[in-house]
Amino acid sequence: MQKLVIEGGTPLFGEIITQGAKNAVLPVLAACVLCEGKVMLRNCPCISDRYASARILSALGAKVTAEGNSLAADCSDLSSDDISSSLMKTMRSSIIFMGALLGRTGKCTLCYPGGCNLGPRPIDMHISAMRKMGAVISDEYGVISCTAPEGLKGCRHSLSFPSVGATENIMLAAVTAEGETVISNAAREPEICCLGDFLRACGAKISGDGGGRIAIEGVKKLTPPPEPFEIIPDRIAAATYISCAACAGGELLIRDCAPAHLEAVIPVFEQMGCRLRVFGSNIYIYKKGRLKAADTIRTMVYPGFPTDAQAILMAPLCTAEGTTVFVENIFENRYRHADALCRMGADIRAEGKVAVVTGVPHLYGTVTEAPDLRGGAALVCAALGAMGTTEISGISYIDRGYEEIEQVLSSAGAKISRMTEEKQ
């Protein structure tokens, strides 16, 4: 078991290069299943979720090699369509292998996915969509068996909620299905566009991704892109490092971060009193003095304020002058970090969808544990600005989405180190 030890109170100065997007690389790795040949990817973040996806590909018979942020996956000779329970439970996004395997082999066996405990995230929409396309699916004792005896057929899907995962799964299943597939009320996230760009590079016929209506005309097969495909920057990682500067003070240049993907987040930091400048693909942040409370923050589907940034923005607002109200509209169980922040001295009252944060003069270092991926990142942000030393355990959650977070922050002057916890 490892922990992060953070000595707060040191302003940050320097540059941070934004890692590749966690939520973009995972569906692209699943999409490699559809290609008969060697796919080359660049800007793949070195995070545990990437490794988990690579292990799934290897278990299916793919040949996966990686060097730093470059990865190659050759799915020419798949030997299995069965994903074990232990592999499925490593992350929530493992469910998107359903659409990819049905599209490639016409069958698959998997179980319910794992990941952070953020409340109910049913996969009913995924299963319903696959059935509508001709898949026969049985669900017994948590094992999902899928077959498409007559192949998948294109059809129209109208999603009751613009689910990112369901949109991705339908896209993966539809690119080699017979006929046209139309997804109405589709998710619009940049990660959807990244998947669309990758599939088009492989020969898929897709239009409308990034909007509410995606049209897909099935093709017989996909082939690897002629050039290495580059994963987009991680907008949530970029927001996290901006928040680190907002908590600790100082000035940072966040490079290669696709500012257009952060248009719902940047104004909140500006309301708080941070000075931000956007130029090209970079964001500069300068913070000095006490922050101010922000207007009510309501999480929404893209292009609204992202639920993944809710905890991250709550950390600096714990010491802002005034009161900020959060309304969480996406997940039911996404204030688990509030108790940990309160142990650091924050004044947070959370009930149901609403959390009220009243700023206090200072937070204080303590011994705490990451409750989930983004909650863990919020604790890192808070610890950088707190008085004293904070020890954060359970950092396997943080490693799911952040590439060597202690090294990245150390390069900007933070006093942070990774240590092995002593066994009791």
Side-chain angles (χ1 to χ4, degrees):
M1 300 290 287
Q2 294 182 320
K3 64 182 177 180
L4 292 175
V5 180
I6 303 170
E7 183 180 336
T10 301
L12 303 180
F13 294 93
E15 297 183 0
I16 290 175
I17 299 175
T18 310
Q19 67 185 53
K22 164 188 177 289
N23 292 332
V25 71
L26 302 181
V28 168
L29 286 172
C32 290
V33 169
L34 293 161
C35 294
E36 297 186 28
K38 189 175 183 179
V39 174
M40 299 291 296
L41 302 176
R42 289 180 180 169
N43 201 31
C44 299
C46 295
I47 56 177
S48 60
D49 271 14
R50 183 193 101 175
Y51 303 137
S53 285
R55 287 195 296 273
I56 290 175
L57 287 173
S58 296
L60 295 173
K63 298 176 182 178
V64 183
T65 58
E67 183 177 349
N69 296 113
S70 296
L71 183 146
D74 189 340
C75 297
S76 299
D77 301 308
L78 295 185
S79 57
S80 175
D81 51 56
D82 189 339
I83 304 177
S84 69
S85 172
S86 59
L87 289 174
M88 283 293 297
K89 289 182 178 178
T90 55
M91 58 182 183
R92 174 66 57 172
S93 62
S94 58
I95 192 63
I96 58 177
F97 279 90
M98 176 190 286
L101 282 169
L102 279 172
R104 171 69 184 275
T105 69
K107 57 181 179 177
C108 64
T109 302
L110 34 76
C111 71
Y112 281 82
C116 293
N117 180 15
L118 303 177
R121 289 193 280 182
I123 61 171
D124 303 26
M125 293 172 66
H126 303 250
I127 293 175
S128 175
M130 297 303 111
R131 282 176 171 158
K132 195 171 182 181
M133 298 178 75
V136 178
I137 300 176
S138 65
D139 178 358
E140 295 182 359
Y141 307 107
V143 177
I144 305 170
S145 298
C146 313
T147 60
E150 298 181 8
L152 296 178
K153 311 292 183 183
C155 62
R156 294 182 175 272
H157 302 270
S158 181
L159 301 183
S160 59
F161 176 83
S163 162
V164 173
T167 301
E168 292 168 343
N169 235 340
I170 296 170
M171 291 172 68
L172 292 170
V175 287
T176 56
E178 181 183 336
E180 184 185 44
T181 299
V182 176
I183 311 171
S184 299
N185 197 28
R188 306 183 181 196
E189 275 75 359
E191 295 79 14
I192 296 291
C193 297
C194 185
L195 177 60
D197 288 341
F198 174 74
L199 292 171
R200 273 188 293 271
C202 298
K205 297 181 179 180
I206 303 175
S207 62
D209 43 306
R213 183 183 184 275
I214 300 176
I216 305 165
E217 184 65 37
V219 298
K220 288 188 177 181
K221 67 176 184 177
L222 300 185
T223 56
E227 300 293 333
F229 182 82
E230 185 154 341
I231 302 299
I232 62 173
D234 194 314
R235 58 196 172 104
I236 304 303
T240 300
Y241 293 123
I242 295 172
S243 185
C244 287
C247 288
E251 53 185 326
L252 279 181
L253 179 64
I254 313 297
R255 293 178 53 193
D256 304 329
C257 63
H261 299 168
L262 291 164
E263 290 182 348
V265 175
I266 291 172
V268 180
F269 284 110
E270 292 175 330
Q271 288 177 22
M272 292 159 58
C274 297
R275 186 187 306 168
L276 273 73
R277 296 290 183 270
V278 175
F279 53 98
S281 62
N282 311 307
I283 298 177
Y284 165 85
I285 175 173
Y286 172 78
K287 183 262 183 176
K288 184 178 181 180
R290 190 177 183 188
L291 297 172
K292 300 176 182 178
D295 295 338
T296 298
I297 297 173
R298 294 179 172 86
T299 64
M300 300 173 66
V301 297
Y302 191 85
F305 188 91
T307 180
D308 279 354
Q310 177 254 108
I312 293 160
L313 269 288
M314 187 177 289
L317 286 165
C318 288
T319 55
E321 184 178 359
T323 298
T324 303
V325 176
F326 286 82
V327 182
E328 175 56 59
N329 293 308
I330 307 299
F331 293 125
E332 295 180 8
N333 194 21
R334 201 139 204 188
Y335 290 131
R336 299 177 67 213
H337 53 280
D339 286 344
L341 290 171
C342 287
R343 285 195 292 273
M344 299 177 72
D347 182 353
I348 305 171
R349 299 182 182 183
E351 183 174 348
K353 296 169 56 176
V354 178
V356 180
V357 182
T358 302
V360 297
H362 301 285
L363 296 182
Y364 300 91
T366 188
V367 177
T368 187
E369 182 176 0
D372 50 52
L373 168 55
R374 304 307 175 184
L379 295 180
V380 171
C381 296
L384 291 170
M387 298 176 66
T389 301
T390 300
E391 295 184 10
I392 305 174
S393 61
I395 62 173
S396 59
Y397 282 117
I398 299 173
D399 291 338
R400 288 187 52 225
Y402 294 90
E403 183 176 341
E404 299 177 330
I405 193 170
E406 74 282 1
Q407 294 187 28
V408 172
L409 290 169
S410 292
S411 71
K415 295 181 179 180
I416 176 174
S417 59
R418 181 183 293 254
M419 301 178 65
T420 301
E421 295 185 90
E422 295 182 4
K423 294 183 179 180
Q424 300 294 325

